[in-house]
Amino acid sequence: MKLVTRVQAPTPKFFKVLRNIGLVLAAVGGTILAAPVALPIVVTSVGGYLVVAGGVASAVSQLTTINDNVNK
């Protein structure tokens, strides 16, 4: 299955929820990183990890598809 076809294919409900959670995590991490005040290094590191984890979770969830042609 090509990448464009996979992205456009329907996504199962569980992975839609997981994708949305990943987007929220990435947004929270981005907000922490872009804060206009000086934050402790630990908080900034956690923000970076949230961005990466949220991005990966969203990307993997978006590429998961429903496959009705399963070989039995």
Side-chain angles (χ1 to χ4, degrees):
M1 181 180 280
K2 293 186 179 183
L3 186 62
V4 175
T5 308
R6 182 173 285 276
V7 171
Q8 293 174 347
T11 304
K13 184 176 189 244
F14 171 76
F15 287 101
K16 287 181 183 179
V17 171
L18 191 62
R19 179 190 63 203
N20 292 338
I21 291 171
L23 289 173
V24 169
L25 284 176
V28 169
T31 303
I32 290 172
L33 291 177
V37 294
L39 296 172
I41 294 174
V42 173
V43 174
T44 306
S45 296
V46 168
Y49 290 128
L50 285 174
V51 169
V52 171
V56 169
S58 297
V60 169
S61 296
Q62 181 61 41
L63 294 177
T64 305
T65 61
I66 298 171
N67 188 1
D68 292 334
N69 283 337
V70 178
N71 294 336
K72 295 180 181 179

